[in-house]
Structures are given as C-alpha cells and as structure tokens.
Amino acid sequence: MESRRFTALQEVSKRTPVEPIAPNGQISAYYGSNVFGHDAMKEFLSEEAFSMVQNAIEKGTSIDRKIADQVASAMKNWATGKGATHYTHWFQPLNGTTAEKHDGFFEPSENGRAIERFSGNQLVQQEPDASSFPSGGIRNTFEARGYTAWDPTSPAFVFDKTLCIPTIFVSYTGEALDFKTPLLRSLTALDKAATDVCQYFDKNVTKTIATLGWEQEYFLVDAALFNVRYDLQQTGRTLIGASPAKGQQLEDHYWGSIPARAMAYMRDFELECHLLGIPVRTRHNEVAPAQFECAPVFEEVNLAVDHNQLLMDIMEKVALRHNLRVLLHEKPYAGVNGSGKHNNWSLATNTGKNLLSPGKTPKTNLQFLTFFINTIKAVHEHADLLRASIASANNDHRLGANEAPPAIMSAFLGDQLSKILDDLETSVTDKKMTPEQKTALKMGIGKIPDILLDNTDRNRTSPFAFTGNKFEFRAVGSSANCSGPMTTLNAIVAEQLIKFKHDVDALLEKGIEKDEAIFQILKKEIVASKNIRFEGNGYGDEWKAEAKKRGLNNFNTTPIALDAYVSKSSLKLFEDLHILSHREQEARYEIALETYTKKIQIESRIIGDIVTNQIIPSAIKYQKTLVDNVSGMKAIFDGAEFKKVADAQLNMIKEISERVTIIKNDVETMTEERKKANNLEGAKKQAHAYCDKVKPLFESIRYHCDKLELLVDDAMWPLPKYREMLYLK
Ligand code: ADP
Ligand code: MG
C-alpha cells in the first residue's frame, strides 16, 4: 500500500496556480462594495437615521429604537441586494477566534410562506446561547446568558452571503466576555486623556483616535501535506520534524520573487479583502521558506483589529480554494523563523495631526515630544503588563529565540531622539528658565523633523521601537488578536497622560509658564523612564545581563509572564480607567492560564499519539528489514567476515532500539506528568506544571524522533518532511 505521505506528495506535484476570479474594473471600482459603510448608509438610510448613526460612530451617542428599526431594515435591503440570505452578530470571544451564529432573514408566515424580516431589536442586541465560550468564572452555566450588542463604529459587511454585524459580547451583568469591549473602553479613555493634553497645544482638538497598522506574517503549506500531519492540523505546528538541509541560511527567500501559487493566493485573498474595505496593500516573502507577510494601510484601532480578525478568517477560507493551508501559528516549524504581527501604533487628532509625528514648528514638536516621552514612560511603568499582553503558549517559542524580540520589554528611540532626550534632561532645570534658555530649547526641538528625515536607523531586535512617526510593538504573535496588546497600550498611555496633565496643571497653578511647566515635567519623566530605553542588540546575552542590572524582568514563559495581569498596578490601571473591573481582569487571567494549559495538554497528547502510532512503528518496520538482511548475511558469511559486512547495519539496528526505548520512556513519563498536573488545584499550578514538567519532555522526544527521521528509509517515513512542506512552487 502506498503511504499517505506519498499519495500526498504525488498530489502536490500536479498542482498549478489557481487564478482568482477578479471583478471587473480597477480596485477602486469595487473597493468596500460589500461594506455597509458611509456611502451605502447615505444611499439606504433616511437623513435622520444617517446622522444618528454618524453621531454614534463619532461621539458614541446612542441610537434609539425607532431609528434602529430603520437601520436594520436598510441594512437588510442593502445586504439582500448583495445576495445575503442570513445575518449574524460577529464577535470576538476570549478563545481567540471570531464567533458567528447565523440566522435567516426570513420569518415563516401564513400558508407555509415566508417573509423577509430583520428588526432593530435583532440588529441591536442578541442573546446567543453561547454558554460554551470561556468566561473565567464570570458566568455560571445556570446564568449562562451572554449578550451581543451592535458596535456601530465598525461597519457591517456581507461575507459568504451573510450580513455580519460587528458586536461586543458581554454577560447578563454587563461584564466583558470578549476582546472588543475592553478595547472600546480603552479607546474612550485614551481619547479623553490625549485630547485633554492636546489642549495645551491646540484648542481645536476635540477628539483623538489611536491608529493601528498590523503586519501579518504567515506560512503556506500544501493542503495534501497538511492533511497527513495531524500535529499541524490539531495544534497549528509541527511537533516533530528534522531541519531541512536548506532552510533559511542562504537568506534567498526574504523579499525574493513570490512563488506562483502563493502569488495567486495572495491576489485572491487581497481581492476578498478589498471587497470588504480591508486596505491590504503590501505583500512580500518573509525570511523563512514558504513564509510571507501582508500589511494594510493603518486604520483606527477598533476597525483595524476587526479587519485583522476578518483577514485571518478570509486567509483560511481562500487558502482552501488554492489547495493550500495558511499557518498563522507563531512557530509552525522548528529551526526556521516563526511568525509575528508587528503592531504599528500611533495617535491621530480630529485636526488631522499624527501626534507621534514631529511638525514644522517648535510648538508642534513640543506636542510631539510630549506624546513621545509619555508613551515611553507608560511602557516603563507597565513593562510587565505589556509583556503579559503578548504572552501565549505559541509566542513562547519566538520571544527570546533570536528571531523575535526578547521577553524583556524595552523601548528603542534611535540615536537622534535619544540625544534630544538627553539634551532636554541636561538643559531643563528646576530654576526659572531665562529667555535665552527657552529659545535655545525651542530651536533645538525645532530641528527634529529634519533630523528624523535622515534618521533611518532601525532596530529589528527591539520589542517596542519608534519608527519615525509611530511606535512598532514588534513582540505580538502572528495568531494573536491585536486587541489584547492594543487595549494595554491604550490604557497605559491614557493613565500616563492623565498623570502628566495633573503634574503640569499643578505647576501652572503655581504660576509657572506653560511651556516651562511642560518642559519640567517632561524632564522628570525622561529621568524616571531611563532604564526602559535600550538602543543595542536585544538578541545578545549582554542585554540579558544588563537588563537584570537595571531591574527589568525577563519572563520567558507564559505562566510567569501572566502574573502581571493581576498585579496591583495592573488591576488599578484597568479599574481606574473603567476598562476592566478587578473581576473582569481576574477572569481574563484565569482564561489565559487555562488556555495555556489546554494548548500544552493537546500538544502533549498529539505528540504521544504520533510517536506511538506512526513514528515507532515505522522505525521498527525499517529495523526489521535490517534484521532480515543481517540474518541473511549470517547464512552467507562466516564469523570474521560477517562481523565486517554486518557491522554498520548492526549499529543501526542498535541505534533504532535505543532511540525507540528513550522515546517510549519519555512518552510514558510525559503521560504521568500530565496526570499529576491535571490533579493539581487551580489554574496557576496547572499551567506551571504543564510548563515545567510536561513541556520539557517534548524536546527530548522530538530530538530522538528527528534522529530517526534521518536514519529510516525515506520510503517508510510516514510524515511529510520539512523539505517537502517548506517548498512551494
Ligand atoms: P515598515 O518599514 O515597517 O514596513 P511602513 O511605513 O511600511 O514601515 O509601515 C508599516 C505599517 O505601519 C503599515 O501597516 C502602515 O500602515 C503602518 N503605519 C504607518 N503609519 C502609521 C500610523 N501613523 N499609525 C499606525 N500605523 C501606521
Ligand atoms: Mg515593520
């Protein structure tokens, strides 16, 4: 019988690129046509309804029921015109996916007929029987009601003949059960805090939004190969597999010409994105073979997060059309780079100003420095929380593994801005500044834009790097929902800006002039946040030592990193800003620990399964051919001669036995450790046991399996090999 692997490889050899079917016209002709956005609303809504929805989007005002009915009816008419038959509330529960439960637009009527119907009630709120989503103990099954509620700030869209309505997901008692709720709350807090600070510089600023441009990395693998690797299927990563002779050493993949099948796939999913108004624009090969990246033009954070969640979904669906599977896991293959999702973050005002982009005058640059320095200070204050916000079993494989930033949080500023901060620190004093001093300072900061223009230094090893007009949070994992890190970043910066304003106002009350007050507080924050600044190589061991001296933490596993979720300062931060109550935050902590445990548990079971049912039998089968051969030789050759001809094979037979024995023992030990871990009380203890006792056995099992892969007859090896999976035509 042909092995499943060979059948799969034969399928792969016949593949050709699948040409996407593009709508007529240029991108601009169909861009956003499946979104119930500004133009569609204008067309389908009455003027009254249109302005009420716009107000809700811009000012967060509520929409009354009568209007909601109108909006629902208009949405339905628009969506059915696009071929939609069903609608769903589309939300982001804490299991990391997006959730949808479809309902038909029709209602049965008399005489066995049906009428199309969609009311304001159905638009605004739903009570899905969604008791199986993680709630961290917030909901008991006997009070399992969870509500989804319409988020008008992210427009509805039609996908797969379904009208999708972005919603939040909260419990009966109003507690957040999803990613979106705290994100929206954090954006409100940040808007208020940043707008208040903007008043020092520009009275016309009445609203500040946070912006996000994510960069999504991913791998592609042929679907036939994926289908015969249970580890990939079930865990998103390969749990065993020897490194290919040619990996990424030659660095010939990065920005290389895109393989034809990948190209056809990209064009296809980009097309779907454009129909949905997701502004993906950039595509290129990444460092590892079969690894790619796609990035959009940045958008307001809430929208950008929804678009990223939607993108990941689209990527998976479109891949199937191309006989491909997309791997969004942070580390699908050992030995080659994993995937991240850089989160480029900034702040923009209603006056069209990017607050992290220096302007043309000393005044706008003082504003720039204010937001720049306060962001750094916020990272300094809450570095551990920021680290926790990107912690996951998947991401543990990347952080600190010399392919992604270390688990130590630090901020990279670049030479020029570091110097400006150093200069500010020395030139601003507590004493009243002379006019000359002030002029000198302002002249200095007036030069920032010119300096930054040539300031192209980039530090790829920093988790949080300033890149000219935004910060790039580079430690986020590729499969993550960006909401977690974005909520955290918004929150810590909001808290810091409030504190800053409080301090500056205190000086103003003492009669100190405004610019001088701002300079003085900025100086104080520069001094206080110094040890979070790092310009060197984040991958080096020297940094680990240096960071330790500075008192910066290096939490390199998820269970340890997650403690910061529930530290006093984190709980206070979220509670004070009305983003998450203690109970909500503690629930998130529980869920994150449980998710970690479950992931490692599943990996452990699968590794045990594959090893016992696929690897060991193949090794033994091969060993038997060796044994048969050696027995045959024994019949032909006499004593001394036999030893000579059979020696190599005897050693191979022995090696197989030795490795099989070790693997078998490790699998048994692992099963025992799992049992012990399962019997522990409490999510924290369990997560630590899985991390410290179960997971380390993966290494040893894998090591010996990979050695066997190199030894056993290729024709007998059951699993697609790295060199086969990482190769794409
Ligand atoms: P890189 O050299 O990192 O590719 P780019 O300028 O191409 O730099 O930007 C990368 C990402 O940063 C893109 O998604 C882009 O939209 C985003 N970006 C640019 N400006 C901003 C901003 N002001 N706020 C948020 N994201 C931004
Ligand atoms: Mg980048």
Side-chain angles (χ1 to χ4, degrees), residues 252-274:
D252 52 356
H253 189 69
Y254 189 57
W255 290 20
S257 99
I258 300 173
R261 285 183 69 196
M263 187 67 176
Y265 166 70
M266 289 176 183
R267 284 172 40 221
D268 207 357
F269 83 68
E270 286 170 4
L271 199 149
E272 295 284 357
C273 285
H274 292 154

Side-chain angles (χ1 to χ4, degrees), residues 211-215 295-298 344-346 354 458 469-470 472:
T211 50
L212 163 64
W214 38 260
E215 303 168 51
V297 178
F298 67 91
N344 295 275
W345 175 93
S346 190
N354 174 354
R458 281 288 180 98
N469 57 3
K470 60 191 183 286
E472 186 169 357

Side-chain angles (χ1 to χ4, degrees), residues 363-377:
K363 187 165 122 186
T364 51
N365 287 335
L366 185 54
Q367 174 172 289
F368 158 72
L369 282 176
T370 296
F371 284 92
F372 180 70
I373 292 165
N374 277 306
T375 303
I376 293 164
K377 177 71 187 325

Side-chain angles (χ1 to χ4, degrees), residues 189-203 205-208 347 349 355 363 366-372 374-375 493-505 508 514 518 521-522:
L190 182 59
D191 174 14
K192 168 97 178 60
T195 302
D196 283 352
V197 170
C198 282
Q199 296 302 304
Y200 291 139
F201 308 98
D202 183 355
K203 297 277 184 225
V205 175
T206 54
K207 186 170 172 71
T208 310
L347 293 167
T349 63
L355 292 170
K363 187 165 122 186
L366 185 54
Q367 174 172 289
F368 158 72
L369 282 176
T370 296
F371 284 92
F372 180 70
N374 277 306
T375 303
V493 174
E495 180 191 60
Q496 174 59 33
L497 289 171
I498 291 167
K499 199 168 136 276
F500 173 80
K501 181 162 171 11
H502 175 269
D503 291 355
V504 171
D505 284 351
L508 295 182
K514 187 171 77 187
I518 292 172
I521 302 301
L522 286 181

Side-chain angles (χ1 to χ4, degrees), residues 306-317:
D306 281 359
H307 279 168
N308 181 243
Q309 289 298 114
L310 193 52
L311 169 95
M312 292 194 283
D313 196 21
I314 291 170
M315 286 175 99
E316 287 182 345
K317 287 186 173 137

